[in-house]
Amino acid sequence: MSDRDFTLPDPDIQPEFYADVPTKRLVAFVIDTVISILIAIAALPFTAFIGIFFFAFLVSSAGFVYRVVTLATGSATWGMRLVSLEMRDRAGQRFDLGSAFLHTVGFYVSCAVFPLQLISVVLMLTTARAQGLSDHVMGSVAINRRARF
């Protein structure tokens, strides 16, 4: 057994931490994409509307910064927070800036290379911890947040 078996919730003993995670990740992805588009639209006046000509790049850049900042500050994007998910590293800790950056790079590489994205989706749907490709590489997981009292 590895260290992460002792620090991350075990999907066999505590399946509630991984219940509906793939569906929640999809909903969070859609919400985060909409937020990235809205940030890019808000940035258009600051580019003297020249950003319209490279809008896809503007959305990608805004989304990258948004994902890194929100993952680093709360271990979840706003979309993830809305559906009660949070990311944990292989030691069971919340993401720091380095982890957030690496996870976002992995996510963007997966999105840019379709076969990698396909592999990531299949892994999320078939593995016990619902980990995507970048999660497997980093040892991170998306889990349901514990209720806070």
Side-chain angles (χ1 to χ4, degrees):
M1 292 188 145
S2 68
D3 289 339
R4 74 180 215 198
D5 291 331
F6 294 107
T7 56
L8 293 173
D10 186 317
D12 295 325
I13 298 170
Q14 299 170 305
E16 63 274 7
F17 280 101
Y18 302 100
D20 302 321
V21 166
T23 304
K24 288 181 174 185
R25 286 182 88 158
L26 176 62
V27 172
F29 170 77
V30 171
I31 291 168
D32 292 333
T33 300
V34 169
I35 291 171
S36 298
I37 291 168
L38 292 174
I39 292 170
I41 289 171
L44 277 177
F46 298 103
T47 67
F49 295 96
I50 296 171
I52 291 172
F53 299 110
F54 54 93
F55 192 68
F57 178 76
L58 191 60
V59 171
S60 293
S61 300
F64 189 90
V65 172
Y66 158 75
R67 284 179 185 280
V68 170
V69 169
T70 56
L71 284 172
T73 57
S75 204
T77 63
W78 292 343
M80 290 176 184
R81 293 173 195 179
L82 192 63
V83 295
S84 296
L85 286 179
E86 67 182 359
M87 299 301 298
R88 294 297 175 121
D89 66 12
R90 72 176 59 246
Q93 301 298 314
R94 294 171 159 265
F95 274 13
D96 58 6
L97 180 60
S99 298
F101 178 78
L102 289 175
H103 194 274
T104 303
V105 168
F107 171 75
Y108 269 69
V109 169
S110 291
C111 287
V113 181
F114 181 73
L116 295 180
Q117 184 64 21
L118 192 59
I119 291 168
S120 190
V121 170
V122 169
L123 288 171
M124 280 185 226
L125 295 173
T126 59
T127 58
R129 288 191 164 112
Q131 294 170 290
L133 187 58
S134 58
D135 295 323
H136 276 281
V137 170
M138 289 182 59
S140 60
V141 295
I143 59 172
N144 289 309
R145 263 192 321 212
R146 296 180 190 191
R148 290 179 169 74
F149 296 101

